Amino acid sequence: MASVNAAAATRQLKALANKEHAAKAVRYFKTGPGEYSEGDQFLGIRVPQIRQLEKQLRGALSISDMGLLLQNEWHEIRLFALIAMVNHYQRGDEKTKKTIVTTFFKLKKHINNWDLVDSSAHYISGAWHYDKDRSRLDKMINAKSLWDRRIAMMSTFYYIHQNDLDDTFRYAQLRLDDDQDLMHKATGWMLREAGKRNQKRLLAFIKKNSATMPRTMLRYAIEKLPEARRKQILVSTAKK
């Protein structure tokens, strides 16, 4: 396929804009004053449309152009960039992967919403750090930025798929006092996934931390347990 630059890809994405969908997205992603996504802007492009265009342009964009798209003011264009980076990473050699990881972390301030994090972190950050030094993520799990913390937590999803659960439980322990509901959800989600691999370890974590575990985190973590066990945990922790 002939190369396509960031400007051309942007034009194609903007051609898919839908004002009605954009208005709904602005509400759904909490873009109002003081909300977690304050000021974010939406074109109103559906995710399947973004993925379809990325598939059509796959191999035509350079990593540099992906980086330019990741800095775009429009949410869906940043999502497009991350989807393109994920697919390029998965097909790339070690040098390509390193360049994508470098771009990902250099521009991570633009990965500033939960869907942007969740569609990319474990595929890029998690995959890269799995067999390497993880100190960068160890710092990010305690960062001031909500999105840095979520990137670190969601990176462990890749580890979970490799039956490496230690960092998931370690990071969850560190974020028990997090003040953001989006971290409670992400942490509970990763605990749930880890629990699918080792239910005994999940139950031990809950027993140890039930007194201080945010309720949302707890509910997400136990979602896949047998109903009787879920009810037992919720009743017992409600009394504390």
Side-chain angles (χ1 to χ4, degrees), residues 33-97:
E35 294 182 311
Y36 65 76
S37 186
E38 181 178 353
D40 204 354
Q41 300 183 72
F42 289 80
L43 289 165
I45 312 172
R46 300 291 195 183
V47 174
Q49 292 177 291
I50 295 171
R51 291 191 177 278
Q52 181 60 36
L53 181 59
E54 187 281 327
K55 186 176 181 181
Q56 292 174 12
L57 298 181
R58 192 168 297 168
L61 282 164
S62 68
I63 298 173
S64 176
D65 280 310
M66 294 175 197
L68 289 173
L69 292 168
L70 184 53
Q71 298 173 69
N72 197 277
E73 62 183 325
W74 297 103
H75 181 100
E76 294 94 337
I77 295 178
R78 300 198 303 281
L79 178 59
F80 173 91
L82 289 165
I83 292 171
M85 289 170 68
V86 166
N87 283 311
H88 205 62
Y89 181 95
Q90 292 177 332
R91 291 166 173 76
D93 57 18
E94 194 71 4
K95 181 179 179 181
T96 296
K97 290 178 178 179

Side-chain angles (χ1 to χ4, degrees), residues 125-179:
S125 173
W128 178 258
H129 288 95
Y130 173 64
D131 57 357
K132 298 178 179 67
D133 175 29
R134 302 178 186 175
S135 59
R136 170 162 49 189
L137 298 181
D138 289 347
K139 293 178 181 178
M140 286 174 62
I141 194 63
N142 289 315
K144 182 178 180 180
S145 166
L146 162 63
W147 309 119
D148 279 9
R149 300 197 304 274
R150 187 155 176 136
I151 287 171
M153 180 58 71
M154 289 303 303
S155 292
T156 73
F157 202 0
Y158 184 89
Y159 312 158
I160 292 169
H161 286 299
Q162 318 308 315
N163 287 312
D164 178 355
L165 311 181
D166 289 352
D167 280 0
T168 300
F169 284 102
R170 182 164 64 90
Y171 286 2
Q173 189 74 46
L174 291 170
R175 298 321 313 164
L176 288 174
D177 62 348
D178 201 291
D179 61 356

